[in-house]
Amino acid sequence: MNLAQPDLLADAGAHSATLVLALEHPGPDGVRVAAGVRAVAEEVAALDPSAWLGCTVAFGAHLFGAADIGPAPDGLRAFEPVAGATRSAPATGGDLLFHVHADRRDLVFELLLRIRARFQATARVLEEVHGFTYLDSRDLTGFIDGTENPGPEDRAGAALVSGGDHAGGSFVLVQRYVHDLAGWSALAVGDQERAIGRTKPDSQELADDVRPADSHISRVVIEEDGEELEIWRKSFPYGTTGELGLLFIAYARSLAIFDAMLARIFGTDETDETDGSGVHDRLMDFSRPVSGAYFFAPSQARLAALA
Ligand code: HEM
């Protein structure tokens, strides 16, 4: 049985947004109001059911201690900066995450306005990012993003905690990346393909003997006990023609999976047998994270109980 919040495993529509808030007084009141946002999302969704408005609500690790919402899920902690020898990722924190998507941009906006109104005096915005589906689901680098995402039948297994008190909940990683599109565009397409590890027109994986160890795919494909570690990615392009990039957002059944991928992307994985020398993801030469936080999205029933 899938116990997750209703929109967590759904495909995002053409428009997405994330809102990260810091509560002035992290505690039960903020948690209750945040949990109540699910009902607000249903009101906005009812304005046009054909737009498939979705909203997932998630909490920062420290709220589990401060807000009496029960013991924290195993392994949940605040995001910590990842500092490799040459590339790094900052931690920017946050108490509450709202992840909203729909096929109508105005409805995404409407829900965010209503969320903000509920927290007008009690929270400040740490980050608000509005984005869109670009062409045939491409990142702004021009590469298809999502090819190896788990299909509908496999998403629950990848994204949801499977047992115990937090069954149906999900760990969330959010990072805003800013692309150096001019630098990237100056690369020959073959070099771009070797940086990603896939072909540009149709996202075919490069053969093992031509795919470099520092390609994005070589970094994030990790096997443990013969099984590939999986996450459910719902990232989206955002920005203006001045500053643009990818809002990376993904859900996983364990936080350790994100830690493992980030360690290989930023070259901090000491057990990395391919190099052991702190090699970083070639993509990070053309994109840099400017924010980063971990959250936990409780199951539907737990969230309803908190409201
Ligand atoms: C600038 C940021 C990023 C960009 C532009 C980007 C782009 C891409 C692209 C184009 C693919 C290949 C197509 C696909 O399978 O989706 C991909 C795959 C993937 N990415 Fe990223 N990505 C970024 C950051 C990350 C981060 C931070 C993580 C993990 C923490 C990650 C995890 C993955 C995984 C697990 C895959 C699938 C690998 C496979 O099974 O083949 N990516 N990404």
Side-chain angles (χ1 to χ4, degrees):
M1 192 176 31
N2 165 22
L3 306 166
Q5 290 181 47
D7 306 311
L8 196 151
L9 299 177
D11 286 309
H15 306 279
S16 293
T18 49
L19 177 66
V20 176
L21 299 181
L23 292 166
E24 298 300 343
H25 303 288
D29 289 348
V31 167
R32 188 175 38 75
V33 177
V37 163
R38 273 292 329 156
V40 182
E42 277 156 32
E43 281 165 28
V44 178
L47 297 175
D48 178 2
S50 72
W52 297 108
L53 179 88
C55 174
T56 300
V57 179
F59 301 105
H62 56 286
L63 274 184
F64 286 82
D68 198 24
I69 56 177
D74 275 353
L76 182 65
R77 58 168 173 76
F79 186 79
E80 284 153 21
V82 187
T86 49
R87 294 288 174 274
S88 56
T92 47
D95 297 314
L96 306 174
L97 164 72
F98 302 95
H99 178 200
V100 181
H101 46 70
D103 279 329
R104 276 179 54 175
R105 187 176 179 191
D106 58 339
L107 295 188
V108 171
F109 204 83
E110 176 66 18
L111 178 54
L112 258 63
L113 282 176
R114 293 192 193 188
I115 297 172
R116 283 288 283 129
R118 288 169 79 89
F119 288 99
Q120 204 60 55
T122 55
R124 70 200 152 80
V125 176
L126 288 186
E127 186 170 74
E128 176 175 344
V129 182
H130 295 248
F132 51 90
T133 301
Y134 176 57
L135 303 174
D136 47 345
S137 295
R138 286 171 194 266
D139 169 64
L140 290 164
T141 54
F143 281 76
I144 294 172
D145 192 11
T147 313
E148 287 296 329
N149 236 349
E153 327 71 47
D154 300 323
R155 280 175 201 169
L160 305 183
V161 175
S162 58
D165 284 352
H166 291 284
S170 186
F171 294 88
V172 197
L173 168 61
V174 186
Q175 288 182 296
R176 183 165 73 88
Y177 284 83
V178 177
H179 292 351
D180 165 16
L181 206 56
W184 178 256
S185 305
L187 290 183
V189 170
D191 290 335
Q192 294 180 349
E193 292 181 330
R194 278 183 289 281
I196 297 286
R198 287 187 169 269
T199 57
K200 193 168 186 181
D202 52 2
S203 199
Q204 297 296 312
E205 193 167 335
L206 300 187
D208 287 352
D209 54 342
V210 284
R211 197 181 68 228
D214 68 352
S215 76
H216 184 53
I217 297 308
S218 308
R219 298 285 87 203
V220 295
V221 173
I222 304 171
E223 277 199 12
E224 249 178 43
D225 305 326
E227 296 271 324
E228 244 178 56
L229 297 182
E230 285 221 276
I231 58 176
W232 163 228
R233 289 170 288 138
K234 297 179 78 171
S235 308
F236 53 89
Y238 74 90
T240 65
T241 52
E243 182 175 279
L244 53 78
L246 186 75
L247 191 289
F248 181 88
I249 178 164
Y251 296 86
R253 61 188 156 77
S254 124
L255 206 72
I257 297 178
F258 291 134
D259 283 339
M261 290 182 180
L262 289 168
R264 287 180 52 90
I265 290 175
F266 292 96
T268 59
D269 181 1
E270 283 158 12
T271 65
D272 186 345
E273 75 292 347
T274 50
D275 41 73
S277 59
V279 75
H280 66 261
D281 191 323
R282 175 73 171 132
L283 191 52
M284 295 302 122
D285 292 340
F286 303 94
S287 191
R288 71 194 158 88
V290 296
S291 69
Y294 280 146
F295 296 93
F296 188 78
S299 68
Q300 181 171 17
R302 279 204 152 232
L303 193 69
L306 292 168

